[in-house]
Amino acid sequence: TQLLEQSPQFLSIQEGENLTVYCNSSSVFSSLQWYRQEPGEGPVLLVTVVTGGEVKKLKRLTFQFGDARKDSSLHITAAQPGDTGLYLCAGYLGKAGGTSYGKLTFGQGTILTVHP
Amino acid sequence: EAGVTQSPTHLIKTRGQQATLRCSPISGHTSVYWYQQALGLGLQFLLWYDEGEERNRGNFPPRFSGRQFPNYSSELNVNALELEDSALYLCASGLWVSYNEQFFGPGTRLTVL
């Protein structure tokens, strides 16, 4: 059972379209991070959200953390070919001790392709 | 500011050999995390080191081990390599704070033949 369910798994759109990627869980997270990864490279941190209901904007990207801190979304406005890549959400449960201590739990990822 | 660095970029080994992967964290970061990204499996947590101590490990066999040095750099050792160990190994660094923000390096691509 995947702790963090990310959807959709694949997204193929035309330049200029809008899109939303979702990250859902039944667990409450202390924080949630969004990354973008290019093939053969490491994930690049886009944003960290820590407060329920928080909304952060990064140019055309809008990130939202659910009120209950169990879900998050990434919305891209007017997508461009340069947005193409693998988008990953990662949650931190924040429990001291136990198997969750220190680690980020990743969703399966969303492969986004933006066609010119 | 320099990011997380990893070496080597690529590593080719044969089954049964040992592999050593290295990571240098962002200056000022005391925590180093190791993840395995195998095809189709996503990122899986391997190990976490902070202030020279192993703080947690993921669900991997004991042949996956590592250490953190006094300068906070780290190495990951994989003994008795198996074909399924072929993956991108990612190192991340961070400051151990409540929201646990982690910054990743470019990774080491390990291929086991």
Side-chain angles (χ1 to χ4, degrees):
Chain A
T1 303
Q2 189 73 22
L3 185 60
L4 260 179
E5 295 289 340
Q6 194 171 335
S7 63
Q9 192 173 355
F10 300 96
L11 202 49
S12 179
I13 62 172
Q14 294 298 127
E15 183 175 0
E17 293 184 4
N18 302 331
L19 66 111
T20 302
V21 178
Y22 299 93
C23 193
N24 296 294
S25 177
S26 58
S27 299
V28 177
F29 291 101
S30 292
S31 68
L32 196 137
Q33 300 170 33
W34 285 92
Y35 294 87
R36 180 171 161 232
Q37 186 177 21
E38 301 283 354
E41 299 180 9
V44 175
L45 180 64
L46 297 174
V47 77
T48 299
V49 285
V50 299
T51 305
E54 183 176 6
V55 177
K56 282 192 173 180
K57 292 190 176 183
L58 185 67
K59 297 182 180 177
R60 296 177 292 100
L61 279 61
T62 301
F63 305 85
Q64 187 163 7
F65 203 13
D67 291 340
R69 290 185 287 127
K70 294 182 179 181
D71 56 86
S72 180
S73 64
L74 157 60
H75 182 80
I76 300 179
T77 303
Q80 299 176 359
D83 296 326
T84 295
L86 173 66
Y87 288 82
L88 295 160
C89 63
Y92 178 54
L93 291 169
K95 295 175 183 175
T99 60
S100 301
Y101 197 29
K103 78 174 193 180
L104 293 179
T105 299
F106 282 81
Q108 310 97 308
T110 296
I111 298 175
L112 170 65
T113 304
V114 182
H115 302 279
Chain B
E1 180 183 305
V4 176
T5 60
Q6 291 186 246
S7 63
T9 305
H10 295 90
L11 193 55
I12 300 175
K13 295 284 186 178
T14 56
R15 196 168 46 183
Q17 285 189 313
Q18 181 205 26
T20 298
L21 290 64
R22 296 180 176 84
C23 171
S24 290
I26 291 171
S27 177
H29 286 180
T30 60
S31 280
V32 169
Y33 309 82
W34 288 95
Y35 292 83
Q36 181 195 66
Q37 188 175 31
L39 206 59
L41 290 179
L43 272 86
Q44 304 294 320
F45 170 74
L46 265 166
L47 289 158
W48 169 34
Y49 293 95
D50 184 65
E51 297 285 0
E53 300 286 332
E54 181 180 304
R55 303 295 185 183
N56 197 9
R57 65 179 293 127
N59 189 26
F60 281 84
R63 56 191 187 82
F64 286 84
S65 65
R67 54 180 171 165
Q68 186 178 34
F69 299 99
N71 66 353
Y72 302 113
S73 67
S74 175
E75 68 179 28
L76 173 69
N77 295 293
V78 188
N79 294 319
L81 284 165
E82 300 178 1
L83 297 178
E84 51 266 35
D85 295 334
S86 294
L88 183 66
Y89 288 84
L90 293 161
C91 169
S93 76
L95 290 169
W96 175 232
V97 291
S98 60
Y99 47 86
N100 200 15
E101 203 167 55
Q102 297 182 17
F103 298 87
F104 283 83
T108 292
R109 171 69 64 185
L110 173 63
T111 302
V112 183
L113 303 175

